[in-house]
Amino acid sequence: MNHMTTALTRRIASIGLAAAALIGLPAHAQSSDAEVMKIDKPQQKITLKHGEIKNLDMPPMTMVFRVQDAGMLDTVKVGDKVKFDADKVGGQYTVVKLAPAN
């Protein structure tokens, strides 16, 4: 009975993750380190030189991200070291959390 309960729990969890992917919910983001290279407030975008982004299976690189909340761009400046979470939201790589690195 315990084995069946564990298997059922795993199956329900995998169905939940699949459903989230189908309806476009973001995956579980993990914080990554980066340096702010450019800020484009009118377009609500930020260019980051970042380390590996595990949840997106992305190696270190410099790239442009959309920001989920334009107010995030008021909290950083070019040259700042930051920690951020990114996800693919609506088909676009999006910063969903941004904070100065400690």
Side-chain angles (χ1 to χ4, degrees), residues 30-34 48 50 53 65 83-86 95 97-98:
Q30 297 176 345
S31 291
S32 299
D33 294 314
L48 297 172
H50 64 79
I53 304 175
F65 292 88
K83 283 210 172 277
F84 74 104
D85 295 352
V95 172
K97 184 177 177 185
L98 181 67

Side-chain angles (χ1 to χ4, degrees), residues 82-98:
V82 297
K83 283 210 172 277
F84 74 104
D85 295 352
D87 261 317
K88 200 162 190 180
V89 178
Q92 293 185 322
Y93 292 115
T94 304
V95 172
V96 296
K97 184 177 177 185
L98 181 67

Side-chain angles (χ1 to χ4, degrees), residues 3 8 29 49 53 60 71:
H3 174 68
L8 180 59
K49 181 178 182 181
I53 304 175

Side-chain angles (χ1 to χ4, degrees), residues 72-84:
M72 292 178 183
L73 299 177
D74 295 328
T75 66
V76 296
K77 65 184 181 315
V78 171
D80 282 356
K81 304 288 187 197
V82 297
K83 283 210 172 277
F84 74 104

